[in-house]
Amino acid sequence: GMDGAPLPASPAGLSAYVVVSQLLGLTLLATMGAWLGRYRGGVAWHSPLQFNVHPLCMVLGMVFLQGDALLVYRVFRHEAKRSTKVLHALLHGLALVIALVGIVAVFESHRSKGIPDMYSLHSWCGMATFVLYLLQWLLGCGFFLLPGASFSLRSWYKPQHIFFGIALFALSIVACLLGITEMLLFNIRDSYSHFVPEGVLANTLGVLLVVFGLVVGYVLTRDDWKRPPLAEELALSMDFKTLTEGESPGGGS
């Protein structure tokens, strides 16, 4: 029966992929820190180093935390759906706040140095991604967290939410790659082609971003790793057929 039955184990391989994703994420942040600390003078607010807050915040918020927010439904498979949803929304919200700090940093840095804003491909992709990410978060909270959205409306919106969630994560990584390239061309244009250590380190950061994205994307798109609906969620859903005919949800008893 459902009562008192042990929780099914996570699918084989899922835990390993999640651990790898977290190690990659932490390596990403350490590599970014090493680049800024070793070659770009570190990070400070209201100083010539204010710009450096931007790449750090964007990688932390829009890549690492966004990736973890997407993994919440795979990792917390047997917790109440409501608390999993709240954690998903909170992590995305935290990512947004950190990204906003990063955006303020680059605008203030540009203003203090007299550099024009929003002319590069990186800035266009990055700002579009941030604005869409904010919109996605607001819509997600509106449809799934606040009471009021009907079941049919949620069912209609859910596939769009899932698609744009993965698409915005991919776009965030693309924007970071463009930003890394731009930073290298601004800072070491003449020596970059000589395989200087800073160029190699920054390229390595870019490769780590791509690999992190691929690992998270793999976990998210494996059908058999999706979160199984809990008994009470099935009872609440419109599909009463399996329950009324005495089959247990999910096939096994």
Side-chain angles (χ1 to χ4, degrees), residues 167-244:
L168 286 167
F169 178 59
L171 278 172
S172 299
I173 291 172
V174 168
C176 286
L177 297 177
L178 289 168
I180 290 168
T181 305
E182 197 171 291
M183 257 180 93
L184 289 171
L185 293 178
F186 278 136
N187 291 317
I188 59 164
R189 181 179 297 143
D190 299 330
S191 57
Y192 188 22
S193 60
H194 301 294
F195 288 91
V196 290
E198 180 177 355
V200 173
L201 184 68
N203 287 357
T204 304
L205 173 62
V207 171
L208 284 168
L209 280 161
V210 171
V211 175
F212 177 73
L214 290 173
V215 171
V216 171
Y218 181 73
V219 173
L220 291 176
T221 51
R222 271 279 295 256
D223 268 346
D224 53 332
W225 288 356
K226 286 191 167 56
R227 184 183 195 272
L230 301 179
E232 64 267 26
E233 293 162 33
L234 282 167
L236 287 171
S237 85
M238 296 175 102
D239 181 21
F240 289 112
K241 184 168 171 290
T242 51
L243 296 169
T244 49

Side-chain angles (χ1 to χ4, degrees), residues 69-153:
L70 295 174
L71 290 174
V72 158
Y73 287 108
R74 302 293 177 274
V75 175
F76 300 101
R77 305 176 68 73
H78 308 296
E79 283 68 18
K81 185 74 174 271
R82 177 86 191 166
S83 47
T84 314
K85 262 187 207 177
V86 169
L87 179 60
H88 178 74
L90 281 174
L91 281 172
H92 279 307
L94 182 60
L96 274 165
V97 170
I98 291 171
L100 185 60
V101 171
I103 289 171
V104 170
V106 73
F107 277 104
E108 285 199 358
S109 165
H110 280 181
R111 198 176 61 221
S112 68
K113 294 176 182 171
I115 300 170
D117 293 313
M118 297 303 302
Y119 67 88
S120 69
L121 180 59
H122 164 65
S123 64
W124 288 18
C125 291
M127 190 57 81
T129 303
F130 177 77
V131 170
L132 290 170
Y133 187 46
L134 176 60
L135 187 64
Q136 163 96 341
W137 186 75
L138 292 171
L139 285 170
C141 289
F143 274 96
F144 301 119
L145 274 181
L146 302 175
S150 69
F151 187 84
S152 56
L153 204 56

Side-chain angles (χ1 to χ4, degrees), residues 10-24 71 74-75 215-216 218-219 225:
S10 285
L14 173 61
S15 304
Y17 269 90
V18 170
V19 168
V20 168
S21 75
Q22 297 314 287
L23 291 173
L24 277 167
L71 290 174
R74 302 293 177 274
V75 175
V215 171
V216 171
Y218 181 73
V219 173
W225 288 356

